[in-house]
Amino acid sequence: MNKPAKEAALKAPASFKTIALIGGGLIGSSLARAIRQFMPESIIVMSDRDPQVVSRLKELQLAHRVELDSRSAVQGADLVILCVPVGVCADVAKGFVSFLKEGCVLSDVGSVKASVLDEISPHVPENVHFVPAHPVAGTEHSGPDAGKADLFVNRWTILTPADNTPSDNVARLEAFWQALGSTTEVMTARHHDLVLAVTSHLPHLIAYNIVGTADDLETVTQSEVIKFSAGGFRDFTRIAASDPVMWRDIFLHNKEAVLEMLARFSEDLSLLQRAIRWGDGDTLINLFTRTRAIRRSVIESGQDTDAPSFGRD
Amino acid sequence: MNKPAKEAALKAPASFKTIALIGGGLIGSSLARAIRQFMPESIIVMSDRDPQVVSRLKELQLAHRVELDSRSAVQGADLVILCVPVGVCADVAKGFVSFLKEGCVLSDVGSVKASVLDEISPHVPENVHFVPAHPVAGTEHSGPDAGKADLFVNRWTILTPADNTPSDNVARLEAFWQALGSTTEVMTARHHDLVLAVTSHLPHLIAYNIVGTADDLETVTQSEVIKFSAGGFRDFTRIAASDPVMWRDIFLHNKEAVLEMLARFSEDLSLLQRAIRWGDGDTLINLFTRTRAIRRSVIESGQDTDAPSFGRD
């Protein structure tokens, strides 16, 4: 996004009167809580295709209206956000697109952007503006009870509009996310998928894999793995506790970028393996010193806490 | 350890009057703080071969006496604990063993046990009892300022005595660690190294590796990696910020077990890679569901917090 557009976005009011959230899981219910806190004038409509989630959303009183049918939910909404796993985004969207209000902004929160853009765009009516987005935030917990109003505060939200999307609609959506405490950045869907493959998808794949490996050993019992997990393993179990369906969809929809990053990871790991086998301590020290510097940058950028062990003890 | 011996250990007083800690880093300085808090009658002597660390230890007033020379530090001590990187343990021990008091217990805190046992045992005088130990606790920070009195509370300490070590000396060291809040377990050094290879050494290797891979990309900038690290990557940077020398030594001294676990990890990763390439969602879902259950066990066992994102936000 160019500089004048960015300034416009920062000044723009959160100009969506009625907001429909399709899907009431961790992100959908966090959005509802955040909108209620940061934009108390907005009207929130939620929908979920699971009747149990619908009744829980009603109990939690997160929205002004909760619907089982997404077609009823989106009617009259100025902003509609898909908060469902990437694998069902297109199908869910196809179900309600013809009920969208003229001039409305349609967005999503998926962790993969190119496939969502490709699959949904052909079905979006001409007078509706589709601006895919991805808040880089979350926790390992799922469902409507897991949501938090401050989930997006100090986190980045990436917007990946198509080339022909009018910039004022992009700016309006940036202003929306900024009002929830997020910082925004605009990039192409393809570049997003490459960046997230390394900062999110590969870490999750590695974490799932090592927890699986540990679970399969014959020489070390599962009880030993769990007892002595404070040596490092427990950090990986947190990430490997993330929602299975959401993550299956991410890997299958960002296949190319994930496989590319995985190939690089495996190459680098072979080098480390060789260094250990041949007692090459210098290679190890060099890498371990470099990675320590990256940790410092992550902390200086405000993306993590400097408290030892994340301050959890 | 058999049951009567275990009961004896639990009843035993923390029977070391003078305790010498050789090395004043994260673990040595945590031990000093913990002994001061939980065994206020004990006399603490510390030594470090780095004059800067010695003067910092004096400033922090962590010990009754601080020495540059380990030979002076160990004289008259009832318990001597090596708190130095695994790679220098044997050399440091050889320097002072002839100054050890008759009947004293010599121990260490290294993350690898078989090599330490093999390298130090031949040099230990007959009237000194060598009981290697490993508190499975730590943080990514290093040095005398990083220590915490409660570092060992609710953590496990593993003791790996040689077969011929009198059980009362093992029991006395167990009682010592229990008095600092730790739970103890006795196993062979070889088994320890296998267990820790999976719960600690492999996770660190993987974390160092992925942070290095991310740092080497041409298509994604380092600034992007850092900005969007909240998607999972930042968790790995914490572990990859651990002390470089300590970790080089661990990998080189537990080579066999680490390479064995790494081979299994890589095999499993190939399976996941194939599942992604061929769109085999069931394999992914099965693994991701299994790993979620392991997270629950880690939390139920008290080895991690259930707060989302470790409660760091």
Side-chain angles (χ1 to χ4, degrees), chain A residues 8 20 73 91 119 129 185 193 195 214 236 254 260 263 291 303 310:
Chain A
D91 275 349
E119 289 173 10
H129 311 286
E185 183 145 324
D193 289 357
V195 172
F236 291 72
N254 198 20
E260 157 71 13
T291 54
Q303 290 306 304
F310 307 111

Side-chain angles (χ1 to χ4, degrees), chain A residues 231 276 284 288, chain B residues 84-88 109-113 115-116 134 192-193 196-197 200-202 204-205 208 242-259:
Chain A
I276 292 172
L284 301 180
F288 302 171
Chain B
V84 298
V86 164
V88 295
V109 296
S111 303
V112 182
K113 299 266 65 91
S115 68
V116 167
H134 175 209
H192 166 278
D193 289 357
L196 270 288
S200 179
H201 307 172
L202 182 60
H204 275 77
L205 193 69
Y208 280 123
S242 302
D243 188 73
V245 171
M246 171 181 159
W247 280 96
R248 175 200 61 192
D249 288 358
I250 289 173
F251 294 125
L252 298 184
H253 283 77
N254 197 21
K255 185 193 289 198
E256 243 176 83
V258 168
L259 290 177

Side-chain angles (χ1 to χ4, degrees), chain A residues 84-162:
Chain A
V84 298
V86 164
V88 294
C89 256
D91 275 349
V92 171
K94 276 186 244 171
F96 65 65
V97 277
S98 57
F99 294 81
L100 291 170
K101 180 169 128 177
E102 201 165 310
C104 114
V105 170
L106 172 64
S107 189
D108 77 318
V109 295
S111 303
V112 182
K113 300 265 65 90
S115 68
V116 166
L117 190 64
D118 293 349
E119 289 173 10
I120 294 183
S121 295
H123 305 281
V124 178
E126 258 196 26
N127 49 14
V128 166
H129 311 286
F130 180 40
V131 186
H134 175 209
V136 185
T139 79
E140 67 276 27
H141 295 193
S142 315
D145 288 279
K148 303 194 303 172
D150 62 354
L151 188 68
F152 313 108
V153 173
N154 204 21
R155 294 280 88 89
W156 286 84
T157 298
I158 302 172
L159 286 78
T160 63

Side-chain angles (χ1 to χ4, degrees), chain B residues 6 63 136 144 219 297 301:
Chain B
K6 189 139 203 165
V136 185
T219 47
S297 305
S301 73

Side-chain angles (χ1 to χ4, degrees), chain A residues 142 185 191 199-200 206 213 215 224 227 231 233 235 237-238 240-241 255 268 277 290-292 310 312, chain B residues 142 185 191 199-200 206 213 215 224 227 231 233 235 238 240-241 268 277 290-292 295 310 312:
Chain A
S142 315
E185 183 145 324
H191 189 63
T199 61
S200 178
I206 298 310
T213 301
D215 191 37
E224 286 174 323
K227 265 194 216 171
F233 183 75
D235 282 25
T237 63
R238 183 187 82 78
K255 186 194 290 199
D268 294 346
R277 193 179 302 281
R290 194 153 61 97
T291 54
R292 206 171 210 193
F310 307 111
R312 65 180 158 198
Chain B
S142 315
E185 183 144 322
H191 189 63
T199 61
S200 179
I206 298 309
T213 301
D215 192 36
E224 285 174 323
K227 266 194 215 170
F233 183 75
D235 283 25
R238 184 187 82 79
D268 293 347
R277 194 179 300 283
R290 193 151 63 96
T291 54
R292 205 171 210 192
R295 174 67 181 169
F310 307 112
R312 66 181 159 199

Side-chain angles (χ1 to χ4, degrees), chain B residues 244-285:
Chain B
V245 171
M246 171 181 159
W247 280 96
R248 175 200 61 192
D249 288 358
I250 289 173
F251 294 125
L252 298 184
H253 283 77
N254 197 21
K255 185 193 289 198
E256 243 176 83
V258 168
L259 290 177
E260 156 71 16
M261 293 302 169
L262 186 52
R264 285 167 177 264
F265 173 86
S266 295
E267 270 173 40
D268 293 347
L269 195 57
S270 297
L271 201 79
L272 277 188
Q273 184 172 354
R274 198 171 186 283
I276 292 171
R277 194 179 300 283
W278 293 94
D280 172 8
D282 290 347
T283 293
L284 301 180
I285 284 278

